[in-house]
Amino acid sequence: MIGRYTLPEMGAIWTEENKYRKWLEVEIAACQANAEVGSIPLEAVEVIKQKAAFTVERIHELEKTTDHDVIAFTTNLAENIGPEARWVHYGLTSSDVVDTANGLLLREAGDLIIQKLQTLSDLLKRKAFAYKDTPMIGRTHGIHAEPTTMGMTFALWFEEIRRDIDRMTRARAGISYGKLSGAVGTFAHLEPEIEERVCFLLGLKPANVSTQVIQRDRYSEFVCTLAIIASSLEKFALQVRHWQRTEVREAHEYFKPGQKGSSAMPHKRNPILSERICGLARVVRGYAMTALENNALWHERDISHSGAERVILPDACIAVDYMLAKTTSLLDKLVINQEQLLKNLHLTRGLVFSGQLLLELAAAGASREESYYWVQRNALNSWDNGLDFRALVTNDPDISRLLTPDQIERAFDVKTRLRNIDRVFERVFGG
């Protein structure tokens, strides 16, 4: 839950009801695997499958006495199953169930994250082509640099989301593991074949070696991947915040009829979605640090990771899922002011073409040092006194001695600067 918003599908994964349902899947799979090798009666498994039931409320009630959630869970199952319940949790320790079930939960969460990343990727591709040839000023250090296009920004973001998809796909695979190797990972009570069979039934892979727990570097990779995705979304949102600044006004968040921006200032249209996305990215990065610290446990295990994971795993997944939904909506409805893009492109009276002018002079025979001096001399005069850079260059005797009017025209032609945009798009999107 973030504010008043819960994304139903992701929220449903992290309910207590679903967590216990996953625990039950692991317990039943373990019973099935044990019955297949003759460790427990096959008929008992059928009874367990038919009668196994729980309620969150009863588990909570039992936990008040047991102070142990897994024991409360198995006790509640036993109340409904009857004598055959003695085969439930047979040869298992609590983390066999919890960590294997976590693999199922995180795999589902990863699937939803990948799905929403793909939706955002598709949107960014459409935006990139829609604005491929829409010129705008590029900025380095926050200062006008050289011309680019709005489509280049969307292409850049598309490529980053594609990397995020690859990262989450790897993290999903890395978390889709289970273990039933017992209290210290030695298979003291069950054979490795049982673990292999249970994991197969659940669509997981067995950990080659473990202690009492699945090793938390797997969890660290998953949560750190969520943090990287969050940082990508923050990057996009921060750019929108810049575009929406009063002095820039190149794009802004959609402002729906009836929306209010400020309780005190009726004129305000604030980038609230972008700011929310940036703020939540900080939260997810904090969860990544906790996940990294959870990797180091005492000996075969302690439970210092457990309480933290009850917070960070659902919250990080829900936060990133929410951020993806909001970023997609933000960019889908983004209002782009093409007139302002052109106005800002020419705001510095041609200064942003100084780089090409420098090259033209060098090609005409001037040294780089004297070319730089001539161009900068006029650029600073233009900047400090509000004069037209092109007019200053045209009337500069050192420059006009080497460059023809056509060469100066070419240096100030925005199309010359953007001639390779199609080549970049071919690299990103293919031919």
Side-chain angles (χ1 to χ4, degrees):
M1 175 70 74
I2 301 173
R4 293 174 295 171
Y5 180 93
T6 300
L7 196 65
E9 56 266 45
M10 183 61 82
I13 291 175
W14 295 106
T15 63
E16 285 194 282
E17 176 77 26
N18 192 50
K19 178 183 74 173
Y20 294 134
R21 192 178 300 121
K22 292 294 186 291
W23 289 10
L24 182 56
E25 288 181 27
V26 176
E27 294 283 6
I28 289 177
C31 290
Q32 179 68 40
N34 273 303
E36 289 175 3
V37 298
S39 297
I40 68 175
L42 187 59
E43 56 271 19
V45 179
E46 296 306 314
V47 174
I48 291 168
K49 288 180 178 178
Q50 292 174 13
K51 294 186 176 181
F54 64 85
T55 67
V56 174
E57 294 74 20
R58 179 56 177 159
I59 293 171
H60 287 174
E61 183 181 354
L62 290 166
E63 194 176 354
K64 290 177 183 177
T65 300
T66 64
D67 266 346
H68 196 293
D69 54 355
V70 176
I71 293 175
F73 169 73
T74 56
T75 300
N76 188 197
L77 294 181
E79 291 174 337
N80 293 294
I81 295 170
E84 290 81 2
R86 68 187 184 275
W87 302 115
V88 174
H89 210 67
Y90 185 75
L92 304 181
T93 190
S94 298
S95 290
D96 289 334
V97 176
V98 173
D99 282 9
T100 303
N102 277 347
L104 299 175
L105 293 169
L106 289 166
R107 183 179 65 185
E108 287 186 4
D111 285 340
L112 284 177
I113 295 294
I114 291 170
Q115 182 184 74
K116 285 188 169 57
L117 283 167
Q118 188 59 58
T119 299
L120 178 56
S121 173
D122 294 342
L123 172 66
L124 289 170
K125 181 176 181 179
R126 293 195 299 272
K127 291 282 185 178
F129 278 96
Y131 295 99
K132 177 172 68 72
D133 299 315
T134 301
M136 65 181 297
I137 187 60
R139 297 172 174 89
T140 59
H141 306 276
I143 306 300
H144 285 204
E146 293 186 348
T148 182
T149 74
M150 179 65 78
M152 279 285 288
T153 297
F154 290 124
L156 185 80
W157 295 353
F158 168 87
E159 184 79 355
E160 183 160 346
I161 290 299
R162 185 157 59 184
R163 292 194 298 273
D164 285 334
I165 291 172
D166 291 342
R167 277 186 278 262
M168 179 48 69
T169 300
R170 292 193 299 270
R172 178 198 179 279
I175 205 66
S176 299
Y177 277 77
K179 58 86 60 183
L180 283 84
S181 54
V184 294
T186 59
F187 295 97
H189 305 291
L190 294 177
E191 300 304 310
E193 290 77 14
I194 298 298
E195 178 186 78
E196 293 167 4
R197 179 60 176 164
V198 169
C199 288
F200 174 80
L201 291 172
L202 298 172
L204 301 174
K205 294 180 180 179
N208 289 334
V209 59
S210 64
T211 59
Q212 191 176 108
V213 296
I214 291 284
Q215 299 307 285
R216 261 40 192 181
D217 62 294
R218 296 186 180 277
Y219 287 59
S220 298
E221 180 184 24
F222 191 91
V223 180
C224 285
T225 298
L226 291 176
I228 293 172
I229 294 169
S231 73
S232 295
L233 305 181
E234 179 186 22
K235 172 181 178 176
F236 308 164
L238 189 64
Q239 183 67 58
V240 173
R241 289 170 62 187
H242 164 72
W243 284 336
Q244 191 158 338
R245 291 173 57 213
T246 306
E247 296 83 359
V248 179
R249 296 185 62 241
E250 292 175 349
H252 63 83
E253 294 182 7
Y254 173 70
F255 198 80
K256 67 178 183 288
Q259 184 175 341
K260 305 293 190 292
S262 167
S263 62
M265 297 170 284
H267 72 278
K268 293 296 289 295
R269 292 197 298 188
N270 300 325
I272 57 172
L273 283 182
S274 302
E275 291 172 341
R276 191 182 309 166
I277 291 163
C278 290
L280 287 173
R282 301 168 189 168
V283 175
V284 180
R285 280 196 292 274
Y287 291 154
M289 179 59 70
T290 303
L292 291 168
E293 292 179 346
N294 281 347
N295 194 31
L297 304 177
W298 282 25
H299 306 295
E300 280 66 41
R301 88 171 277 223
D302 59 51
I303 61 167
S304 59
H305 64 290
S306 178
E309 286 174 356
R310 292 168 192 249
V311 175
I312 68 171
L313 296 182
D315 276 16
C317 290
I318 291 171
V320 171
D321 189 77
Y322 174 85
M323 291 171 69
L324 281 165
K326 288 302 177 184
T327 301
T328 301
S329 176
L330 164 68
L331 297 180
D332 185 35
K333 298 178 181 178
L334 187 68
V335 179
I336 295 174
N337 187 344
Q338 298 195 43
E339 181 179 344
Q340 187 68 21
L341 288 174
L342 285 176
K343 180 179 179 180
N344 287 345
L345 177 62
H346 298 292
L347 185 65
T348 59
R349 303 176 180 84
L351 285 178
V352 296
F353 299 100
S354 68
Q356 185 62 34
L357 185 64
L358 180 68
L359 296 180
E360 295 284 353
L361 285 167
S367 71
R368 182 173 178 82
E369 289 72 21
E370 63 183 355
S371 298
Y372 197 101
Y373 173 74
W374 296 338
V375 174
Q376 187 184 49
R377 176 179 65 198
N378 288 283
L380 293 178
N381 187 15
S382 171
W383 190 296
D384 294 338
N385 298 300
L387 301 176
D388 185 79
F389 180 57
R390 182 172 177 176
L392 292 173
V393 165
T394 301
N395 294 316
D396 185 292
D398 293 317
I399 295 175
S400 60
R401 174 171 53 86
L402 290 175
L403 297 183
T404 67
D406 286 344
Q407 289 173 312
I408 293 176
E409 173 75 23
R410 183 171 64 228
F412 283 85
D413 185 357
V414 69
K415 293 180 181 179
T416 306
R417 305 287 71 71
L418 303 178
R419 66 188 182 280
N420 285 317
I421 297 297
D422 285 341
R423 298 282 299 278
V424 175
F425 269 60
E426 288 172 9
R427 285 181 170 184
V428 175
F429 301 105

